[in-house]
Amino acid sequence: MPLWPASSAEGIGLCRTEHMFFAEDRLPFMQEMIVATDVEARKKALSKLLPFQKDDFKGLFREMKGYGVTVRTIDPPLHEFLPKTREAAEELSKKIGVSTDKIMRAPRSFMSLTPCWATAAAASHHLS
C-alpha cells in the first residue's frame, strides 16, 4: 500500500520524468538518445524509451486515482546520464554501438545550449 494517502498530500508537486530512465534496463537507451547525432538515430532511441514511459505514466496516474500530478517533460540534466569515466564510456560504447570518444565528448557539445547549465555539466562530468 502506498504511503502517500496517509499523508496530507493532495498529489505530486513535481514528477521529474527523467528519473524514470536511471534504471539499469533503461539507462543505455537514454544514453543512446543523448549521444545521437542525427534525427533517425534519435528517433530510434526514443522508440525504445516510449514503451517504458507509457507504462510508467499509466501506473502513476492509476495509482494517483484522480489526484493532481505535475509532470516535468522537458529539460533533463543530460550530463547526469552519461558516464563519468573513460572505462564506463567504453562499456556503454559496447552496449549502444557509439564510439567511446563520441560519448566522452558529448558533455562538451551541450555547452552551447545554456552557459550556466553547461558550466554545471562540465564540472559534474570532469570533476567527479
Side-chain angles (χ1 to χ4, degrees), residues 4 14 18-19 23 27 30 42 50 55 71 74 82 86 89 104 106-107 117-118 126-127:
W4 76 267
L14 180 62
E18 66 269 15
H19 286 228
L27 186 57
M30 183 67 165
R42 184 152 289 127
L50 184 59
D55 288 345
V71 176
I74 57 170
L82 295 175
R86 184 153 193 92
M104 293 301 293
W117 184 90
H126 295 291
L127 298 177

PDB file of all heavy atoms in Angstrom, residues 4 14 18-19 23 27 30 42 50 55 71 74 82 86 89 104 106-107 117-118 126-127:
ATOM      1  N   TRP A   4       1.522   7.637   0.437  1.00  0.00           N
ATOM      2  CA  TRP A   4       1.001   8.997   0.239  1.00  0.00           C
ATOM      3  C   TRP A   4      -0.434   9.207   0.689  1.00  0.00           C
ATOM      4  O   TRP A   4      -0.747  10.272   1.194  1.00  0.00           O
ATOM      5  CB  TRP A   4       1.230   9.475  -1.197  1.00  0.00           C
ATOM      6  CG  TRP A   4       0.313   8.893  -2.211  1.00  0.00           C
ATOM      7  CD1 TRP A   4       0.530   7.793  -2.965  1.00  0.00           C
ATOM      8  CD2 TRP A   4      -0.979   9.356  -2.562  1.00  0.00           C
ATOM      9  NE1 TRP A   4      -0.539   7.532  -3.761  1.00  0.00           N
ATOM     10  CE2 TRP A   4      -1.478   8.494  -3.541  1.00  0.00           C
ATOM     11  CE3 TRP A   4      -1.766  10.418  -2.159  1.00  0.00           C
ATOM     12  CZ2 TRP A   4      -2.730   8.652  -4.112  1.00  0.00           C
ATOM     13  CZ3 TRP A   4      -3.007  10.579  -2.728  1.00  0.00           C
ATOM     14  CH2 TRP A   4      -3.482   9.696  -3.696  1.00  0.00           C
ATOM     15  N   LEU A  14       5.841  17.612  -8.327  1.00  0.00           N
ATOM     16  CA  LEU A  14       6.726  17.580  -9.481  1.00  0.00           C
ATOM     17  C   LEU A  14       7.203  16.151  -9.716  1.00  0.00           C
ATOM     18  O   LEU A  14       7.905  15.574  -8.887  1.00  0.00           O
ATOM     19  CB  LEU A  14       7.939  18.489  -9.287  1.00  0.00           C
ATOM     20  CG  LEU A  14       8.945  18.525 -10.433  1.00  0.00           C
ATOM     21  CD1 LEU A  14       8.292  19.046 -11.715  1.00  0.00           C
ATOM     22  CD2 LEU A  14      10.144  19.381 -10.076  1.00  0.00           C
ATOM     23  N   GLU A  18      12.659  12.422 -16.172  1.00  0.00           N
ATOM     24  CA  GLU A  18      13.975  11.876 -16.492  1.00  0.00           C
ATOM     25  C   GLU A  18      14.405  10.815 -15.485  1.00  0.00           C
ATOM     26  O   GLU A  18      15.189   9.928 -15.813  1.00  0.00           O
ATOM     27  CB  GLU A  18      15.033  12.985 -16.599  1.00  0.00           C
ATOM     28  CG  GLU A  18      15.338  13.721 -15.318  1.00  0.00           C
ATOM     29  CD  GLU A  18      14.478  14.950 -15.087  1.00  0.00           C
ATOM     30  OE1 GLU A  18      13.442  15.116 -15.766  1.00  0.00           O
ATOM     31  OE2 GLU A  18      14.848  15.748 -14.218  1.00  0.00           O
ATOM     32  N   HIS A  19      13.876  10.850 -14.273  1.00  0.00           N
ATOM     33  CA  HIS A  19      14.256   9.862 -13.272  1.00  0.00           C
ATOM     34  C   HIS A  19      13.746   8.469 -13.621  1.00  0.00           C
ATOM     35  O   HIS A  19      14.234   7.479 -13.086  1.00  0.00           O
ATOM     36  CB  HIS A  19      13.767  10.293 -11.891  1.00  0.00           C
ATOM     37  CG  HIS A  19      14.580  11.422 -11.340  1.00  0.00           C
ATOM     38  ND1 HIS A  19      15.086  11.430 -10.081  1.00  0.00           N
ATOM     39  CD2 HIS A  19      14.995  12.579 -11.911  1.00  0.00           C
ATOM     40  CE1 HIS A  19      15.776  12.529  -9.886  1.00  0.00           C
ATOM     41  NE2 HIS A  19      15.722  13.241 -10.986  1.00  0.00           N
ATOM     42  N   ALA A  23      17.059   3.618 -14.331  1.00  0.00           N
ATOM     43  CA  ALA A  23      17.084   2.176 -14.084  1.00  0.00           C
ATOM     44  C   ALA A  23      18.049   1.498 -15.066  1.00  0.00           C
ATOM     45  O   ALA A  23      18.174   1.908 -16.217  1.00  0.00           O
ATOM     46  CB  ALA A  23      15.682   1.589 -14.229  1.00  0.00           C
ATOM     47  N   LEU A  27      18.668   2.886 -18.843  1.00  0.00           N
ATOM     48  CA  LEU A  27      19.729   3.884 -18.973  1.00  0.00           C
ATOM     49  C   LEU A  27      20.458   3.852 -20.318  1.00  0.00           C
ATOM     50  O   LEU A  27      20.664   4.910 -20.927  1.00  0.00           O
ATOM     51  CB  LEU A  27      20.710   3.755 -17.804  1.00  0.00           C
ATOM     52  CG  LEU A  27      21.803   4.816 -17.715  1.00  0.00           C
ATOM     53  CD1 LEU A  27      21.214   6.221 -17.641  1.00  0.00           C
ATOM     54  CD2 LEU A  27      22.684   4.549 -16.499  1.00  0.00           C
ATOM     55  N   MET A  30      18.493   5.784 -22.906  1.00  0.00           N
ATOM     56  CA  MET A  30      18.541   7.230 -22.682  1.00  0.00           C
ATOM     57  C   MET A  30      19.886   7.774 -23.150  1.00  0.00           C
ATOM     58  O   MET A  30      19.958   8.811 -23.808  1.00  0.00           O
ATOM     59  CB  MET A  30      18.315   7.532 -21.195  1.00  0.00           C
ATOM     60  CG  MET A  30      18.268   8.999 -20.871  1.00  0.00           C
ATOM     61  SD  MET A  30      16.808   9.773 -21.602  1.00  0.00           S
ATOM     62  CE  MET A  30      16.787  11.306 -20.710  1.00  0.00           C
ATOM     63  N   ARG A  42      18.183   9.473 -33.203  1.00  0.00           N
ATOM     64  CA  ARG A  42      17.437   9.938 -32.026  1.00  0.00           C
ATOM     65  C   ARG A  42      16.046   9.300 -31.991  1.00  0.00           C
ATOM     66  O   ARG A  42      15.576   8.851 -30.954  1.00  0.00           O
ATOM     67  CB  ARG A  42      17.342  11.456 -32.027  1.00  0.00           C
ATOM     68  CG  ARG A  42      16.669  11.986 -30.764  1.00  0.00           C
ATOM     69  CD  ARG A  42      17.096  13.371 -30.375  1.00  0.00           C
ATOM     70  NE  ARG A  42      18.463  13.343 -29.880  1.00  0.00           N
ATOM     71  CZ  ARG A  42      19.438  14.130 -30.352  1.00  0.00           C
ATOM     72  NH1 ARG A  42      19.200  15.001 -31.289  1.00  0.00           N
ATOM     73  NH2 ARG A  42      20.653  14.053 -29.850  1.00  0.00           N
ATOM     74  N   LEU A  50       9.913   5.030 -25.308  1.00  0.00           N
ATOM     75  CA  LEU A  50       8.482   5.297 -25.242  1.00  0.00           C
ATOM     76  C   LEU A  50       7.680   4.228 -24.488  1.00  0.00           C
ATOM     77  O   LEU A  50       6.857   4.582 -23.634  1.00  0.00           O
ATOM     78  CB  LEU A  50       7.916   5.518 -26.647  1.00  0.00           C
ATOM     79  CG  LEU A  50       6.439   5.895 -26.710  1.00  0.00           C
ATOM     80  CD1 LEU A  50       6.159   7.178 -25.950  1.00  0.00           C
ATOM     81  CD2 LEU A  50       5.997   6.014 -28.169  1.00  0.00           C
ATOM     82  N   ASP A  55       4.113   3.008 -19.925  1.00  0.00           N
ATOM     83  CA  ASP A  55       3.749   2.125 -18.816  1.00  0.00           C
ATOM     84  C   ASP A  55       3.890   2.830 -17.471  1.00  0.00           C
ATOM     85  O   ASP A  55       3.044   2.672 -16.586  1.00  0.00           O
ATOM     86  CB  ASP A  55       4.597   0.852 -18.825  1.00  0.00           C
ATOM     87  CG  ASP A  55       4.224  -0.101 -19.950  1.00  0.00           C
ATOM     88  OD1 ASP A  55       3.143   0.076 -20.557  1.00  0.00           O
ATOM     89  OD2 ASP A  55       5.015  -1.023 -20.223  1.00  0.00           O
ATOM     90  N   VAL A  71       3.806  17.047 -14.174  1.00  0.00           N
ATOM     91  CA  VAL A  71       4.822  16.273 -14.876  1.00  0.00           C
ATOM     92  C   VAL A  71       5.790  17.213 -15.577  1.00  0.00           C
ATOM     93  O   VAL A  71       5.388  18.082 -16.348  1.00  0.00           O
ATOM     94  CB  VAL A  71       4.171  15.322 -15.915  1.00  0.00           C
ATOM     95  CG1 VAL A  71       5.243  14.587 -16.701  1.00  0.00           C
ATOM     96  CG2 VAL A  71       3.245  14.343 -15.225  1.00  0.00           C
ATOM     97  N   ILE A  74      10.377  18.312 -19.885  1.00  0.00           N
ATOM     98  CA  ILE A  74      11.481  18.907 -20.625  1.00  0.00           C
ATOM     99  C   ILE A  74      12.669  19.140 -19.710  1.00  0.00           C
ATOM    100  O   ILE A  74      12.562  19.017 -18.498  1.00  0.00           O
ATOM    101  CB  ILE A  74      11.075  20.245 -21.289  1.00  0.00           C
ATOM    102  CG1 ILE A  74      10.566  21.228 -20.231  1.00  0.00           C
ATOM    103  CG2 ILE A  74      10.021  20.035 -22.347  1.00  0.00           C
ATOM    104  CD1 ILE A  74      10.359  22.633 -20.730  1.00  0.00           C
ATOM    105  N   LEU A  82      25.269  10.448 -18.563  1.00  0.00           N
ATOM    106  CA  LEU A  82      26.449   9.980 -19.284  1.00  0.00           C
ATOM    107  C   LEU A  82      27.536   9.493 -18.340  1.00  0.00           C
ATOM    108  O   LEU A  82      27.637   9.955 -17.202  1.00  0.00           O
ATOM    109  CB  LEU A  82      26.982  11.106 -20.168  1.00  0.00           C
ATOM    110  CG  LEU A  82      26.029  11.529 -21.280  1.00  0.00           C
ATOM    111  CD1 LEU A  82      26.590  12.723 -22.033  1.00  0.00           C
ATOM    112  CD2 LEU A  82      25.750  10.381 -22.236  1.00  0.00           C
ATOM    113  N   ARG A  86      36.308   7.112 -18.529  1.00  0.00           N
ATOM    114  CA  ARG A  86      36.557   6.506 -19.846  1.00  0.00           C
ATOM    115  C   ARG A  86      36.160   5.025 -19.831  1.00  0.00           C
ATOM    116  O   ARG A  86      35.596   4.533 -20.797  1.00  0.00           O
ATOM    117  CB  ARG A  86      38.015   6.674 -20.252  1.00  0.00           C
ATOM    118  CG  ARG A  86      38.289   6.136 -21.642  1.00  0.00           C
ATOM    119  CD  ARG A  86      39.466   6.838 -22.294  1.00  0.00           C
ATOM    120  NE  ARG A  86      39.492   6.523 -23.704  1.00  0.00           N
ATOM    121  CZ  ARG A  86      38.910   7.221 -24.663  1.00  0.00           C
ATOM    122  NH1 ARG A  86      38.258   8.314 -24.374  1.00  0.00           N
ATOM    123  NH2 ARG A  86      38.984   6.855 -25.926  1.00  0.00           N
ATOM    124  N   ALA A  89      32.551   4.763 -20.230  1.00  0.00           N
ATOM    125  CA  ALA A  89      32.197   5.121 -21.607  1.00  0.00           C
ATOM    126  C   ALA A  89      32.493   3.963 -22.554  1.00  0.00           C
ATOM    127  O   ALA A  89      31.743   3.727 -23.508  1.00  0.00           O
ATOM    128  CB  ALA A  89      32.945   6.380 -22.033  1.00  0.00           C
ATOM    129  N   MET A 104      32.491  10.465 -24.703  1.00  0.00           N
ATOM    130  CA  MET A 104      33.254  11.345 -23.811  1.00  0.00           C
ATOM    131  C   MET A 104      33.149  12.812 -24.232  1.00  0.00           C
ATOM    132  O   MET A 104      33.234  13.695 -23.392  1.00  0.00           O
ATOM    133  CB  MET A 104      34.730  10.911 -23.770  1.00  0.00           C
ATOM    134  CG  MET A 104      34.971   9.562 -23.126  1.00  0.00           C
ATOM    135  SD  MET A 104      34.410   9.447 -21.410  1.00  0.00           S
ATOM    136  CE  MET A 104      35.525  10.577 -20.600  1.00  0.00           C
ATOM    137  N   ALA A 106      30.460  14.191 -25.593  1.00  0.00           N
ATOM    138  CA  ALA A 106      29.070  14.646 -25.540  1.00  0.00           C
ATOM    139  C   ALA A 106      28.825  15.789 -24.557  1.00  0.00           C
ATOM    140  O   ALA A 106      28.170  16.760 -24.923  1.00  0.00           O
ATOM    141  CB  ALA A 106      28.132  13.475 -25.257  1.00  0.00           C
ATOM    142  N   PRO A 107      29.335  15.749 -23.320  1.00  0.00           N
ATOM    143  CA  PRO A 107      29.056  16.875 -22.420  1.00  0.00           C
ATOM    144  C   PRO A 107      29.550  18.214 -22.963  1.00  0.00           C
ATOM    145  O   PRO A 107      28.925  19.237 -22.774  1.00  0.00           O
ATOM    146  CB  PRO A 107      29.788  16.509 -21.131  1.00  0.00           C
ATOM    147  CG  PRO A 107      29.853  15.021 -21.171  1.00  0.00           C
ATOM    148  CD  PRO A 107      30.027  14.677 -22.634  1.00  0.00           C
ATOM    149  N   TRP A 117      24.036  26.086 -17.411  1.00  0.00           N
ATOM    150  CA  TRP A 117      23.871  24.644 -17.427  1.00  0.00           C
ATOM    151  C   TRP A 117      25.148  23.992 -17.909  1.00  0.00           C
ATOM    152  O   TRP A 117      25.588  22.987 -17.375  1.00  0.00           O
ATOM    153  CB  TRP A 117      22.705  24.264 -18.327  1.00  0.00           C
ATOM    154  CG  TRP A 117      22.445  22.795 -18.301  1.00  0.00           C
ATOM    155  CD1 TRP A 117      21.628  22.132 -17.455  1.00  0.00           C
ATOM    156  CD2 TRP A 117      23.037  21.804 -19.140  1.00  0.00           C
ATOM    157  NE1 TRP A 117      21.662  20.788 -17.720  1.00  0.00           N
ATOM    158  CE2 TRP A 117      22.524  20.562 -18.742  1.00  0.00           C
ATOM    159  CE3 TRP A 117      23.955  21.836 -20.188  1.00  0.00           C
ATOM    160  CZ2 TRP A 117      22.885  19.378 -19.347  1.00  0.00           C
ATOM    161  CZ3 TRP A 117      24.321  20.651 -20.787  1.00  0.00           C
ATOM    162  CH2 TRP A 117      23.787  19.443 -20.369  1.00  0.00           C
ATOM    163  N   ALA A 118      25.751  24.571 -18.919  1.00  0.00           N
ATOM    164  CA  ALA A 118      26.965  23.992 -19.483  1.00  0.00           C
ATOM    165  C   ALA A 118      28.091  23.973 -18.461  1.00  0.00           C
ATOM    166  O   ALA A 118      28.851  23.015 -18.378  1.00  0.00           O
ATOM    167  CB  ALA A 118      27.392  24.771 -20.723  1.00  0.00           C
ATOM    168  N   HIS A 126      33.662  16.415 -15.467  1.00  0.00           N
ATOM    169  CA  HIS A 126      35.107  16.380 -15.431  1.00  0.00           C
ATOM    170  C   HIS A 126      35.689  16.358 -14.027  1.00  0.00           C
ATOM    171  O   HIS A 126      36.841  16.011 -13.855  1.00  0.00           O
ATOM    172  CB  HIS A 126      35.685  17.550 -16.222  1.00  0.00           C
ATOM    173  CG  HIS A 126      35.372  17.457 -17.684  1.00  0.00           C
ATOM    174  ND1 HIS A 126      35.932  16.487 -18.484  1.00  0.00           N
ATOM    175  CD2 HIS A 126      34.528  18.134 -18.468  1.00  0.00           C
ATOM    176  CE1 HIS A 126      35.464  16.605 -19.723  1.00  0.00           C
ATOM    177  NE2 HIS A 126      34.601  17.593 -19.728  1.00  0.00           N
ATOM    178  N   LEU A 127      34.910  16.708 -13.025  1.00  0.00           N
ATOM    179  CA  LEU A 127      35.461  16.752 -11.673  1.00  0.00           C
ATOM    180  C   LEU A 127      35.046  15.575 -10.822  1.00  0.00           C
ATOM    181  O   LEU A 127      35.535  15.387  -9.738  1.00  0.00           O
ATOM    182  CB  LEU A 127      35.030  18.059 -10.981  1.00  0.00           C
ATOM    183  CG  LEU A 127      35.535  19.328 -11.650  1.00  0.00           C
ATOM    184  CD1 LEU A 127      34.991  20.549 -10.911  1.00  0.00           C
ATOM    185  CD2 LEU A 127      37.053  19.363 -11.702  1.00  0.00           C
TER     186      LEU A 127
END
